Amino acid sequence: MNNTYRLLLLLFLLAPILAISQRGIPILEMTACDSIVNAFKIDYGIPSISMAMAKDEKVIYDRSFGTWDTSMTDTTNPEMMYRIASVSKPITKIAIMKLVQEGKFSLSDKVFGSNGLLAVHPESHRFQYTYPLIDSITVQHLLDHKGGWNRDSACFPRPVTPPYPYWFVGCDPIIAPLHVTQTLGTSNPVQKTDMIAFLLQKGLEHAPGTQYAYSNIGYLTLGEVITAQTGVSYEKYCIDSIFKPNGIYDIHMGRDFIENRIDREVHYIGTGNTNLSIDGSGQYVPWEYGGMSVNAFGAHGGWIASPKALLKILVLADGSSNVPDILSPNYPLIPHNGNYAHTGAISGTSTILYRANNGYSWSILTNTRVYGTRSDTFWTDLSQVGWGCLSSITTVPTHDLLDEPKVNASQLSATAISGDSITLSWQNGDGDRRIVIGKFDGPIKSYPLDGISYTSRIRFRTGDNLGDSTYVLYDGTANNTVIKRLNQSGKYYFQVIEYNESVNTGNNKLYLQGGVEELKVNACHATVSSSLTKCQSYRWNRTGITYTTSGTYSDTMETVSGCDTIYQLNLTIDPTCNSTMSGLVSRFISDSSANLYWDIVPGALLYKVVLRKNTSAPWDQVIFRQGNRGIAKISGLTPNTKYFWTIKVKHSNGVWSDFNPLESFKTLSNPCLKPTNLASSGVSDQTARITWTDYSHSIYFKLRYRPVGNTTWSSMWILPGREKKWLTGLVPNTQYEWQMKSVCSYFDRTGTQWSAKQFFTSAIPGARLKSSTPNEQIEFRVYPNPSSGLFLLEIEESSEQIQLQVIDLLGKVILNSTLTGIRTELDLSNHPNGLYFIRLQTAKGIKSLRIVKQSN
């Protein structure tokens, strides 16, 4: 039997029973639609279902049915939001078309490669691949599901898909997030760029543009294109550029776990099947709550929304003229005069968005998904619910439930606190009127429902209760009101919500639920005032805010019970003096002393330098210096100790600046001494051997040399333990001078003073002098070792080409490069903890060293 007829058959039998579990503005002309939706709900055992329908871009129907929570006790409201799964894709297409229309890029632009749109992505390094045809994927290919991926192909290992103890069908990474992170070596939970990188490494099944194959990752990639080309996240772009300017607030990015759900979001009812948690904990959790990563769905399936919010978005891009479109006819979402449909489904969710060519459109959202033998009939029947409602309409309602405010009240504040009364003030939004609601001892979770008028009373607890002890306090057109009888010691929470009510709304109140500010106040306060004069700016530690203009600022210290304390700062900013100083640096650090330097401030009278051993200890030393001196010499320090210091300046007008942010240095374990026993030998016409005796506490030495009379030195860094160095490429028959110094600290590379100058003279060409040919392997040092991920490699200067490799315990080369300097950073942050080997290779041989990556 066709489902439409089956639903119509049930509607009279079920209507008396089902009416108690439905909410929303009753529409007399569409009573039959209530019964059709209810019958479908009962037939498939759906806990919660909501539907909105529009005609000629006016919403004429917005109703909900059933219970939304896992205990199945709380009735669903039309204002509640559901995961919409793949119905997110039309939103992504609208965003892409809007950017194309604005000239940000074109549909024919390539997505990947060095000249692709993702080349400027903040994580562009993630998009690596070897399959050459990926370079030819365009924006249009991804929009049309012709990027070349095929999620029905088999790419997961069998019989198990590690770390899962079972295997997955197909090749859509969204179903196996732990396998994606394990394959890529990234952390859990999986990220959107992980999903893309996983498929890029797999390559393509088809040449781009040749075959249609539905692709979640194609649309996920489009979301990253938006990020790359706008400089903000995909979510932020959609919210700031599409939703908020058009008064759309009931739409957010979904979250993975039930405890993190958005206010007014339904619970999702699964089949009872579980999967390993996306957080890598090894726990089995419901698929709908942690078995899949909704956070990583993003542009292909990550939004949650109310049915009416989806219709608000649809009318912006449906090609009709009653509501101005944000897309021109050249960049349509929907073909002219065509039907358009998109469905969405994940565990706990089934959705449909439909636009018919006769001017009707509808969205239907549920909090479950039907599997098994009835799955096919479910989707057929779901698509027929809208058509059944449409067919049952004999008289089209004339109201428009989209005619609600677009901007809520803002700048809500409390003033004139006196006794048990306060005055609330706000900046009005664009609604016809507004209500004020309030609650004691907890954030507001209840909200007004469209179509319902509430009795308001400024005396707390005497107006209508919205639920959960949230009371209606005011209803009117003003921008302030007095609230009385706040006679309990504790926190009160307030909101102002705009609404419209007119003939066009069917004389129904339509409340704007989104973009609502909440104010928390205590009915009792104590005030502590202070006054300060500062240079140019002042960072008040109470608020963490840096103020650059004079004024009165306040901060409230909350208490669990009793009165809050309001700290009031009367701040005067003197713009004629400097607030911060530059050039702070620590140099010539030994085991017991250090020199502190800073740039002189013009016109300064005095500097105050303070020093201590850690950020919470008392100041060890306080030193004052005259305004024309930019150095403080500190002595009597403790060896092998980290010190923090900072400085402030007293200006010519007598005003002290704030202290600068803390600087730090570490004293040496032992005194740093110069190398000794410097000598030269084996001198030929072009080479000479330099020798010395190491100072045992140095981390390296610096050697410099030059022909006598030259002004430019040639220099090199030498690791300890060598005590000799060959100089090559000398000019024959030339006198050279050279010096060495020791460096004993990673914090200060200045080192000791230079040694006394040493001299040698290169031989005349052809002279019969005994010489040696340098033939030594390269020496190198790695620190810190162990490290949490970042290692610094230093080598002794070499004229040869040096090949660097980092190898894991399985013998896999994870880094392979040619060194171009004597210092190189090795970043293993994205690799697992464990043992690795560094290998350096030159024509003269191979040297290796073991390093350890471990957590801090």
Side-chain angles (χ1 to χ4, degrees):
M1 177 185 297
N2 184 284
N3 195 61
T4 302
Y5 298 108
R6 182 168 70 246
L7 296 176
L8 292 172
L9 179 65
L10 292 172
L11 42 96
F12 294 108
L13 297 174
L14 296 173
I17 300 174
L18 300 174
I20 61 172
S21 64
Q22 60 191 43
R23 290 268 180 89
I25 298 172
I27 307 301
L28 180 63
E29 300 94 330
M30 298 186 68
T31 303
C33 187
D34 290 346
S35 299
I36 291 172
V37 178
N38 255 324
F40 175 80
K41 173 189 175 300
I42 294 297
D43 191 17
Y44 284 98
I46 298 170
S48 175
I49 183 170
S50 291
M51 176 179 174
M53 176 174 277
K55 175 67 167 74
D56 296 330
E57 300 189 305
K58 294 182 177 182
V59 170
I60 58 176
Y61 181 85
D62 186 24
R63 301 274 277 166
S64 63
F65 308 83
T67 54
W68 63 267
D69 61 327
T70 52
S71 63
M72 299 190 180
T73 57
D74 291 336
T75 303
T76 308
N77 298 316
E79 293 82 2
M80 301 193 76
M81 292 171 282
Y82 300 71
R83 291 173 178 169
I84 64 174
S86 286
V87 174
S88 301
K89 290 183 176 68
I91 297 172
T92 301
K93 185 174 182 180
I94 291 172
I96 287 287
M97 289 301 191
K98 185 174 185 293
L99 290 170
V100 170
Q101 178 177 287
E102 293 169 355
K104 301 295 185 182
F105 51 84
S106 70
L107 295 174
S108 60
D109 280 349
K110 302 296 191 300
V111 174
F112 298 102
S114 59
N115 295 318
L117 296 175
L118 290 181
V120 295
H121 191 282
E123 297 182 45
S124 58
H125 65 281
R126 301 293 311 280
F127 308 125
Q128 304 298 319
Y129 52 87
T130 58
Y131 197 82
L133 286 180
I134 291 175
D135 283 342
S136 62
I137 297 175
T138 67
V139 174
Q140 188 72 67
H141 292 154
L142 297 181
L143 286 172
D144 296 341
H145 296 282
K146 293 182 179 181
W149 292 300
N150 184 356
R151 66 174 180 171
D152 295 326
S153 65
C155 75
F156 296 120
R158 296 181 64 176
V160 297
T161 303
Y164 300 97
Y166 33 81
W167 61 274
F168 292 93
V169 177
C171 192
D172 196 336
I174 73 170
I175 66 175
L178 294 180
H179 177 69
V180 171
T181 56
Q182 178 173 295
T183 300
L184 298 177
T186 54
S187 59
N188 293 311
V190 71
Q191 302 298 309
K192 293 184 281 291
T193 51
D194 292 335
M195 300 288 194
I196 299 170
F198 179 83
L199 278 196
L200 287 175
Q201 291 186 9
K202 295 295 181 184
L204 303 177
E205 283 72 43
H206 315 295
T210 60
Q211 294 191 44
Y212 172 90
Y214 189 86
S215 176
N216 287 316
I217 306 307
Y219 267 75
L220 192 63
T221 303
L222 289 172
E224 297 309 302
V225 167
I226 292 171
T227 295
Q229 297 300 309
T230 63
V232 298
S233 70
Y234 161 78
E235 177 184 10
K236 181 173 175 58
Y237 174 77
C238 290
I239 290 174
D240 292 347
S241 299
I242 299 175
F243 303 153
K244 280 187 178 180
N246 293 285
I248 304 170
Y249 297 95
D250 289 345
I251 183 165
H252 304 273
M253 272 293 164
R255 301 173 182 177
D256 293 323
F257 297 99
I258 192 169
E259 60 268 22
N260 302 126
R261 72 182 186 88
I262 304 292
D263 287 344
R264 293 189 286 118
E265 181 182 5
V266 300
H267 290 168
Y268 304 102
I269 311 301
T271 61
N273 291 330
T274 61
N275 193 24
L276 282 172
S277 176
I278 61 170
D279 61 13
S281 64
Q283 300 296 313
Y284 282 86
V285 295
W287 267 94
E288 61 275 13
Y289 284 116
M292 57 185 176
S293 183
V294 178
N295 284 350
F297 283 2
H300 81 76
W303 292 106
I304 67 168
S306 68
K308 187 161 71 170
L310 287 179
L311 292 187
K312 284 185 179 182
I313 296 170
L314 185 64
V315 300
L316 297 175
D318 63 355
S320 298
S321 58
N322 291 332
V323 175
D325 281 5
I326 62 174
L327 298 182
S328 74
N330 295 327
Y331 303 99
L333 171 69
I334 302 169
H336 183 63
N337 293 328
N339 293 334
Y340 179 83
H342 211 296
T343 60
I346 52 177
S347 181
T349 304
S350 302
T351 62
I352 187 170
L353 177 65
Y354 199 98
R355 189 264 201 182
N357 60 10
N358 58 5
Y360 282 92
S361 57
W362 56 86
S363 60
I364 306 173
L365 311 179
T366 77
N367 71 337
T368 194
R369 180 178 180 179
V370 175
Y371 292 89
T373 57
R374 299 199 69 194
S375 176
D376 291 340
T377 60
F378 170 84
W379 289 103
T380 301
D381 293 347
L382 178 62
S383 66
Q384 289 298 316
V385 168
W387 288 108
C389 287
L390 189 156
S391 301
S392 69
I393 299 173
T394 57
T395 302
V396 179
T398 58
H399 59 250
D400 182 10
L401 303 184
L402 278 188
D403 187 14
E404 62 187 19
K406 291 185 177 182
V407 180
N408 247 318
S410 60
Q411 303 178 35
L412 177 60
S413 62
T415 57
I417 302 171
S418 175
D420 67 348
S421 301
I422 63 172
T423 299
L424 295 179
S425 302
W426 60 86
Q427 178 71 41
N428 284 341
D430 64 352
D432 298 334
R433 298 170 65 90
R434 55 212 50 91
I435 64 171
V436 177
I437 62 177
K439 181 184 177 182
F440 173 72
D441 201 25
I444 295 173
K445 300 296 182 182
S446 299
Y447 47 90
L449 301 178
D450 285 352
I452 298 180
S453 296
Y454 299 95
T455 299
S456 63
R457 297 282 189 273
I458 63 172
R459 293 174 177 83
F460 203 81
R461 298 183 187 274
T462 60
D464 280 351
N465 186 349
L466 298 180
D468 195 27
S469 298
T470 298
Y471 297 95
V472 181
L473 305 170
Y474 170 81
D475 184 343
T477 59
N479 63 355
N480 63 85
T481 185
V482 174
I483 307 298
K484 298 184 176 182
R485 291 189 182 177
L486 304 178
N487 50 20
Q488 288 184 275
S489 182
K491 305 294 185 297
Y492 287 83
Y493 296 77
F494 301 98
Q495 292 179 353
V496 181
I497 300 176
E498 303 277 326
Y499 71 87
N500 285 346
E501 181 182 21
S502 65
V503 173
N504 194 47
T505 69
N507 294 314
N508 294 297
K509 289 181 168 65
L510 302 181
Y511 301 95
L512 181 58
Q513 302 296 347
V516 181
E517 292 183 4
E518 183 167 274
L519 175 68
K520 178 173 63 174
V521 299
N522 194 319
C524 176
H525 292 80
T527 302
V528 177
S529 296
S530 61
S531 298
L532 285 175
T533 298
K534 290 292 180 179
C535 285
Q536 290 194 343
S537 66
Y538 175 66
R539 185 183 187 276
W540 194 17
N541 289 334
R542 294 210 59 86
T543 62
I545 299 173
T546 299
Y547 301 100
T548 57
T549 57
S550 301
T552 299
Y553 304 97
S554 62
D555 180 60
T556 301
M557 185 180 75
E558 299 180 3
T559 56
V560 176
S561 60
C563 294
D564 289 347
T565 301
I566 297 178
Y567 290 88
Q568 184 172 288
L569 173 65
N570 301 308
L571 179 64
T572 300
I573 296 295
D574 184 350
T576 65
C577 60
N578 294 322
S579 178
T580 58
M581 302 175 62
S582 60
L584 277 65
V585 66
S586 313
R587 287 286 184 263
F588 299 110
I589 300 164
S590 72
D591 59 328
S592 60
S593 64
N595 287 359
L596 311 181
Y597 297 89
W598 60 91
D599 292 341
I600 294 174
V601 177
L605 295 178
L606 200 64
Y607 303 106
K608 183 178 181 180
V609 183
V610 291
L611 178 102
R612 60 188 177 188
K613 290 182 179 179
N614 59 62
T615 56
S616 58
W619 294 111
D620 286 336
Q621 296 192 40
V622 178
I623 302 169
F624 291 93
R625 289 289 181 266
Q626 293 181 348
N628 61 352
R629 296 190 63 192
I631 179 175
K633 296 182 178 181
I634 311 295
S635 59
L637 304 179
T638 303
N640 195 31
T641 302
K642 188 171 185 178
Y643 283 88
F644 296 87
W645 69 281
T646 185
I647 187 171
K648 67 178 180 179
V649 59
K650 186 176 184 179
H651 294 276
S652 56
N653 59 3
V655 177
W656 281 99
S657 74
D658 298 334
F659 276 113
N660 264 54
L662 289 175
E663 299 291 326
S664 66
F665 64 89
K666 187 176 182 181
T667 54
L668 305 182
S669 301
N670 301 93
C672 192
L673 303 177
K674 303 172 188 176
T676 58
N677 300 323
L678 278 62
S680 56
S681 61
V683 180
S684 71
D685 59 341
Q686 296 185 26
T687 63
R689 186 174 71 168
I690 303 300
T691 60
W692 65 92
T693 299
D694 282 357
Y695 166 61
S696 60
H697 294 291
S698 65
I699 60 173
Y700 50 75
F701 303 97
K702 189 170 186 180
L703 166 68
R704 67 179 184 181
Y705 64 97
R706 64 184 177 184
V708 173
N710 275 21
T711 58
T712 302
W713 293 95
S714 298
S715 60
M716 60 183 66
W717 298 93
I718 305 171
L719 298 177
R722 297 299 306 278
E723 298 192 345
K724 61 182 176 180
K725 179 64 183 178
W726 282 98
L727 304 183
T728 60
L730 302 179
V731 178
N733 194 25
T734 302
Q735 186 181 26
Y736 281 84
E737 57 183 353
W738 60 280
Q739 295 174 291
M740 293 187 70
K741 68 160 63 174
S742 301
V743 176
C744 304
S745 171
Y746 295 131
F747 297 93
D748 179 30
R749 303 302 178 91
T750 307
T752 65
Q753 299 293 328
W754 289 103
S755 67
K757 290 182 180 179
Q758 307 294 313
F759 300 90
F760 66 84
T761 301
S762 58
I764 300 171
R768 300 182 61 84
L769 294 176
K770 182 178 178 181
S771 64
S772 301
T773 302
N775 187 22
E776 304 171 10
Q777 294 183 5
I778 195 71
E779 296 293 337
F780 69 99
R781 176 185 179 91
V782 176
Y783 59 88
N785 186 15
S787 168
S788 60
L790 190 63
F791 299 83
L792 181 63
L793 167 68
E794 290 187 341
I795 64 168
E796 184 177 351
E797 186 176 17
S798 173
S799 60
E800 296 185 87
Q801 187 179 67
I802 302 174
Q803 191 68 25
L804 164 69
Q805 290 183 330
V806 180
I807 304 167
D808 64 17
L809 274 178
L810 299 178
K812 180 181 178 181
V813 177
I814 63 173
L815 189 150
N816 194 344
S817 65
T818 300
L819 294 184
T820 58
I822 65 171
R823 295 182 191 84
T824 300
E825 285 189 351
L826 306 177
D827 189 356
L828 303 186
S829 301
N830 293 326
H831 294 277
N833 291 340
L835 188 64
Y836 295 86
F837 296 91
I838 293 178
R839 183 167 66 184
L840 295 186
Q841 182 173 356
T842 69
K844 298 174 183 176
I846 297 174
K847 295 283 286 187
S848 62
L849 178 70
R850 182 176 68 178
I851 61 173
V852 178
K853 179 181 180 293
Q854 63 183 28
S855 301
N856 287 328

